[in-house]
């Protein structure tokens, strides 16, 4: 027993080190996209990130920012995820050991159990979503550690209680304190609470299914045990404090003291249940009080202060995520926003489950069986069967954890279609539960093998364990390493720096969403770079609290005098009364003169402006939202708050400070200033008047040279860039191409070619391809026109291996390009021939002939049109195309033959009849002309 305990601890430590080294090697070296930039900035400055916040994460993240041995501040916070993820993997291993101990005494456990549990832990270590979260500064890694701790401690509690001395109470209370702390990271941990109560219930009850009604009742109570925590403590407690008004603090203190009193009363009366329940709730509240950080820091106006929750009322709105809208729980659960089974279950959960344990095609996002052969899934399913067979109670509790952190989240989130990003990170708790079964299944397989092989077990069991390790975790590490290795990925840092560096001093930059905002906040708050620039996020611009911050926090944003009044902001931006409607209304009633008579349609939606010299003009701002006013209208009749705010900022600014739109902003957010925009690189500058040339060569060229100083890794094929990054960095390529086209239009072909060659140097298509092959070929054709044939040829030759495969349109465009301008018929036919054979008398074969025809290979086209018609004489388009080809070759007699044959079957076709008469006349004229030529020659 002592020997097993020693080996068990050594293995747990080894698993921690393996996971730690793997994650450290693949850790992002700096800030990443999505929420990472915001969380790093908030950790560094103890600010308030987006709702519902993560105060405990920020406190721990702040500690990691103080580590002196890593230069990059983003990497310091990334290290938090590395450490907590490695600990989670080690806890998974220990939990599998605990599960097996339920049916196998520790004195009988040995190498089989250790190796099986190690397989399960290492599989989870290398799983797709968990590995992704483990190498960046997000809340999901530390949240998963808390969940793993609660699961493990539940079984530790059972071990302590099994001694009969009730010495598991401290573990029980520790579990609840961890849950309280975990609320300050992410609410996922609360979903582990039903499992804790099930473990307690099954431990106390010898025959839980003897009375099925009682079984179902207690099971339902365990599942609903999350309600006192969420929404109870999380949402209702702040509302209770708010209801106390000025005495709210006293009310909270009274509640805490009351729980202390109940605890003491329970101890004195010997009521263990009462004392434990009150202490547990007290510890949850103490852990949850990490949210005081949000109140305190918001009151000090930190660099980030989302929702401005410096009052209890503000905190309630913050915790309730009112910024994102709200709906009743009934609507949330019952009114599906997308097809429930096909989208929400299959696509948004089962697909992600398949990513982890079957295989993942990172390019298409589909499940890829060939990657992992589905072996982890099969071993896990065998673990489910074996677990229920050996210990159905613990298997049942684990099933509840699996379902509550998986399918139950699907039902609760009710995600609509499409989502702006993959949401697999939401279900990692469910994947963790399944990985426990993989550990159980691997141990069961080794145990079965040991029983079957008898005396050879000493050799065959270790060999089988090695095979399992190679076929599962080692194979997974090999399969996922490239797509999860971010050690060379600096794109978010570079893109953010370039976005800020290109701006004029004291600029205002309108951004669209997370990826063009959070990394910029990181650069400003953490790196202290370009703090003169005010980044204005358009999504947040719809809220009154953000407008107040733009007005008050440096660098301030110019706003009209109305905005000095907080009541006006509250009414106009956040309200739903007449003031709010009048401020946003942009419909027919606005287009009347002073006498109430309708204005002409050409005068609708006009907003007067003046350029920097005072010359007046107007911009046309179309409404963007429809609100049914009951007047029979069905077209857009309101502006979004953000649209109205952009107009107010532009008018109040009076062209004193430079204003930009990030290139990621949608065109419908330009509020009529599309013709005023000048393309400066990663942002459009709003000029004071409409622009004839929307590119300033010198400005854009200087900015491109600036970008080239920070475009690390984009020419390195060993660095993986996901779909999101590949789309974002196309903005670099777009800037190069637009400037090249502008230079080409004014006759500077050498300058245009030099620019494109610089683009290919810093942004080669072999590393970051364009959105699709057709764009690549269009770029190649531009190179060709500018005198670089090799650039087009290299793209053509690389096309067959293009990521994602080639569509039919791609193949036809590829063949067309080989034909013209490359004049390489053989290479084109290598592509076209297989397509023609797919449908000898159908559309495909016809399209092949048409492709040759349009490229000037008329003889080959004629032969193929005839082949199509031999298979399908009724193919009218082929008849018409063949006739046109004959006409282009002055072969009128042949055209006559084709039309006569067609009219035999379709005498009612007047168009064919007219063309036949025309060609007969041309054929006769050609014969006469030929005869005269022959006579004069004699």
């Amino acid at each position: 027993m002592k020997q097993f305990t020693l080996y068990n601890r050594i293995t747990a430590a080894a698993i921690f080190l393996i996971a730690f080294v793997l994650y450290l090697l693949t850790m992002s070296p700096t800030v990443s996209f999505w929420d990472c930039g915001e969380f790093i900035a908030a950790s560094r400055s103890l600010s308030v990130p987006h709702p519902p916040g993560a105060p405990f994460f920020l406190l721990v993240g702040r500690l990691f920012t103080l580590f002196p041995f890593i230069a990059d501040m983003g990497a310091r916070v990334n290290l938090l995820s590395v450490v907590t993820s490695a600990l989670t993997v080690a806890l998974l291993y220990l939990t599998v050991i605990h599960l097996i101990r339920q049916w196998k005494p520790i004195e009988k456990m040995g190498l089989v159990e250790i190796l099986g549990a190690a397989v399960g832990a290492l599989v989870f270590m290398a799983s797709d979503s968990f590995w992704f979260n483990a190498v960046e500064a997000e809340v999901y890694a530390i949240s998963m550690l808390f969940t793993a701790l609660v699961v493990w401690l539940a079984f530790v509690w059972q071990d302590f209680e099994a001694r009969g001395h009730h010495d598991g109470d401290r573990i029980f209370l520790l579990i609840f304190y961890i849950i309280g702390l975990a609320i300050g990271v992410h609410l996922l941990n609360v979903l582990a609470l039903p499992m804790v109560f099930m473990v307690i219930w099954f431990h106390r009850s010898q025959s839980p299914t003897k009375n099925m009604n009682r079984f179902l009742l207690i099971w339902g109570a365990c599942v609903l045990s999350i309600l006192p925590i969420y929404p109870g403590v999380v949402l209702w407690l702040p509302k209770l404090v708010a209801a106390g008004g000025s005495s709210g603090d006293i009310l909270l203190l009274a509640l805490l003291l009351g729980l202390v009193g109940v605890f003491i009363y329970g101890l004195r009366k010997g009521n263990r249940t009462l004392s434990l329940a009150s202490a547990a709730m007290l510890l949850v509240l103490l852990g949850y009080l990490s949210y005081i950080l949000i109140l305190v820091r918001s009151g000090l106006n930190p660099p980030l202060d989302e929702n401005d929750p410096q009052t209890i009322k503000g905190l309630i709105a913050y915790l309730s995520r009112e910024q994102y809208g709200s709906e009743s729980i009934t609507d949330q659960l019952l009114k599906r926003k997308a097809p429930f089974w096909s989208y929400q279950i299959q696509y948004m959960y089962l697909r992600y489950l398949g990513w982890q344990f079957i295989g993942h095609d990172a390019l298409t996002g589909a499940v890829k069986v060939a990657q992992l052969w589905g072996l982890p899934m099969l071993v896990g399913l065998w673990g489910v069967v074996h677990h229920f067979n050996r210990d159905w109670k613990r298997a049942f509790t684990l099933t509840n954890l699996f379902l509550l952190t998986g399918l139950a989240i699907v039902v609760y989130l009710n995600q609509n279609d499409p989502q702006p990003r993959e949401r697999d990170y939401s279900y990692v708790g469910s994947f963790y539960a399944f990985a426990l079964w993989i550990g159980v299944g691997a141990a069961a397989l080794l145990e079965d093998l040991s029983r079957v092989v008898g005396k050879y077990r000493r050799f065959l069991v270790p060999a089988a364990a090695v095979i399992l390790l190679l076929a599962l975790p080692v194979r997974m590490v090999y399969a996922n390493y490239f797509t999860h290795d971010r050690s060379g990925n600096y794109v978010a840092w570079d893109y953010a720096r370039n976005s800020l560096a290109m701006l004029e001093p004291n600029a205002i930059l309108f951004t669209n969403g997370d990826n063009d905002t959070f990394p910029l906040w990181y650069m400003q708050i953490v790196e202290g770079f370009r703090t003169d620039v005010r980044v204005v996020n358009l999504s947040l611009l719809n809220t009154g609290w953000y407008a107040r911050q733009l007005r008050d926090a440096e660098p301030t944003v110019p706003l009209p005098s109305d905005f000095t009044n907080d009541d006006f902001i509250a009414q106009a931006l956040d309200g739903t009364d007449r003031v709010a409607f009048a401020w946003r209304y942009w419909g027919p009633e606005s287009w009347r003169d002073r006498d109430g008579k309708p204005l002409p349609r050409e005068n609708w939606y006009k907003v007067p402006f003046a350029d920097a010299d005072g010359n007046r003009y107007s911009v046309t701002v179309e409404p963007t939202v429809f609100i049914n006013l009951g007047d029979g209208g069905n077209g857009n009749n309101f502006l979004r708050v953000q649209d109205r705010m952009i107009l107010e900022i532009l008018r109040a600014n009076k062209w004193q400070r430079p204003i930009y739109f990030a290139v990621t902003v949608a065109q419908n957010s330009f509020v009529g200033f599309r013709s005023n925009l000048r393309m400066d690189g990663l942002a459009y500058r709003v000029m004071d008047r409409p622009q004839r040339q929307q590119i300033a060569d010198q400005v854009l060229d200087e900015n491109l040279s600036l970008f080239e100083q920070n475009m690390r890794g984009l020419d390195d094929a060993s660095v993986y860039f996901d779909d999101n990054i590949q789309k974002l960095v196309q903005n670099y390529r777009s800037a190069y191409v637009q400037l090249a086209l502008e230079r080409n239009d004014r006759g500077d072909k050498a300058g245009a070619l030099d620019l494109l060659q610089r683009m290919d140097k810093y942004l080669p298509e072999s590393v970051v391809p364009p959105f699709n092959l057709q764009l690549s070929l269009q770029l190649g054709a531009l190179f060709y026109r500018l005198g670089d044939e090799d650039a087009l040829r290299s793209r053509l030759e690389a096309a067959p291996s293009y990521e994602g495969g080639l569509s039919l349109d791609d193949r036809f465009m590829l063949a067309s390009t080989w034909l013209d301008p490359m004049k390489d018929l053989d290479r084109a036919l290598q592509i076209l021939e297989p397509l023609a054979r797919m449908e000898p008398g159908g559309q495909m074969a016809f399209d092949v002939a048409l492709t040759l025809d349009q490229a000037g290979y008329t003889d080959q086209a004629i032969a193929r049109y005839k082949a199509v018609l031999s298979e399908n004489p009724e193919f009218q388009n082929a008849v018409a195309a063949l006739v046109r080809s004959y006409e282009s070759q002055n072969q009128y007699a042949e055209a006559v033959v084709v039309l006569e044959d067609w009219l035999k079957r379709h005498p009612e076709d007047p168009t064919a009849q007219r063309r036949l008469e025309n060609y007969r006349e041309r054929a006769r004229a050609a014969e006469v002309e030929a005869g005269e030529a022959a006579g004069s020659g004699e």
Side-chain angles (χ1 to χ4, degrees), residues 697-717:
D697 188 308
Q698 184 177 352
V699 173
L700 183 50
D701 192 30
E702 289 176 354
N703 285 338
L704 289 172
S705 298
L706 189 67
F707 299 162
E708 289 164 0
Q709 300 173 29
N710 291 293
M711 292 174 67
R712 289 172 290 179
L714 296 179
D715 59 347
D716 187 352

Side-chain angles (χ1 to χ4, degrees), residues 703-906:
N703 285 338
L704 289 172
S705 298
L706 189 67
F707 299 162
E708 289 164 0
Q709 300 173 29
N710 291 293
M711 292 174 67
R712 289 172 290 179
L714 296 179
D715 59 347
D716 187 352
S718 67
V719 180
Y720 172 71
F721 301 113
D722 62 23
D723 183 61
N724 167 66
I725 291 177
Q726 292 203 22
K727 288 179 178 177
L728 200 63
V729 298
Q730 300 301 330
N731 294 322
Y732 290 129
R733 183 172 279 130
S734 175
Y736 279 109
V737 171
Q738 290 187 60
L739 182 54
L741 289 171
E742 192 274 335
R743 287 183 176 177
N744 184 48
D745 288 345
R746 69 169 191 259
D748 183 10
K749 290 191 174 183
L753 181 58
D754 174 70
L755 201 64
L756 292 181
Q757 289 172 339
R758 279 168 54 194
M759 176 189 73
D760 267 9
K761 174 186 175 183
Y762 290 99
L763 202 66
E765 290 190 11
S766 59
V767 178
V768 184
F771 291 126
N772 55 58
L773 176 64
Q774 296 183 38
L775 285 175
S776 174
L777 295 181
Q778 289 170 4
L779 269 177
L782 178 57
F783 269 102
Y784 184 91
R785 292 196 299 272
L786 296 173
D788 188 349
E789 180 178 328
D790 290 341
L792 175 57
R793 183 176 297 277
S794 64
R795 284 167 167 78
L796 289 168
E797 291 176 345
S801 59
Y802 204 79
E803 289 188 0
L806 301 181
S807 66
L808 285 176
D809 288 342
D810 290 339
R811 294 175 190 274
F812 277 108
M813 185 171 184
L814 183 59
S816 296
T817 309
W818 275 117
L819 291 169
D820 184 20
M822 298 304 289
K823 309 301 181 186
D824 193 331
L825 179 61
D826 292 338
R827 297 294 287 269
L829 290 177
Q830 289 176 14
I831 301 167
L832 295 173
E833 285 286 7
L835 300 178
R837 288 195 294 268
M838 289 171 63
E839 298 176 343
Q843 185 67 41
M844 200 80 72
F846 171 74
D847 289 341
V848 168
L850 189 62
T851 300
L852 291 166
D853 200 355
Q854 292 173 342
Y857 294 88
T858 309
D859 292 341
Q860 290 86 346
I862 288 173
R864 290 179 180 275
Y865 288 140
K866 292 169 69 175
V868 169
L869 290 171
S870 68
E871 294 284 339
N872 184 5
E874 297 301 309
F875 201 144
Q876 187 172 7
N877 287 341
V879 171
L882 178 58
V883 169
R884 285 196 301 271
S885 296
Y886 278 139
E887 180 182 13
S888 69
Q889 299 293 94
N890 295 326
Q891 296 177 352
Y892 303 117
E894 288 80 355
V896 167
V897 171
V898 173
L899 287 172
E900 287 177 342
D901 180 67
W902 173 261
L903 284 166
K904 286 179 183 177
R905 298 188 304 278
H906 302 280

Side-chain angles (χ1 to χ4, degrees), residues 319-376:
L319 292 169
S320 303
R321 298 165 59 92
E322 290 182 6
Q323 173 179 312
Y324 305 112
S326 61
E327 60 182 331
S328 69
I329 189 65
T330 303
D331 289 345
Q332 179 81 1
L333 295 178
L334 299 181
K335 293 185 178 180
R336 294 288 99 187
K337 297 177 182 177
F340 179 63
W341 177 255
S342 63
Y343 183 76
Q344 294 183 338
I345 298 295
Q346 286 188 320
Y347 190 77
M348 293 301 289
Y349 176 72
L350 295 180
R351 180 172 63 103
Y352 295 146
L353 184 65
W355 281 11
Q356 319 307 314
F357 309 118
I358 297 175
H360 176 202
D361 188 330
L363 183 65
T364 65
V367 174
K368 185 179 180 181
V369 178
Q371 187 191 47
L372 304 177
W373 312 309
L375 293 178

Side-chain angles (χ1 to χ4, degrees), residues 486-497:
R486 301 203 220 165
S487 59
N489 191 331
Y490 294 88
V491 175
W493 193 98
D494 289 345
Y495 192 92
R497 186 177 181 87

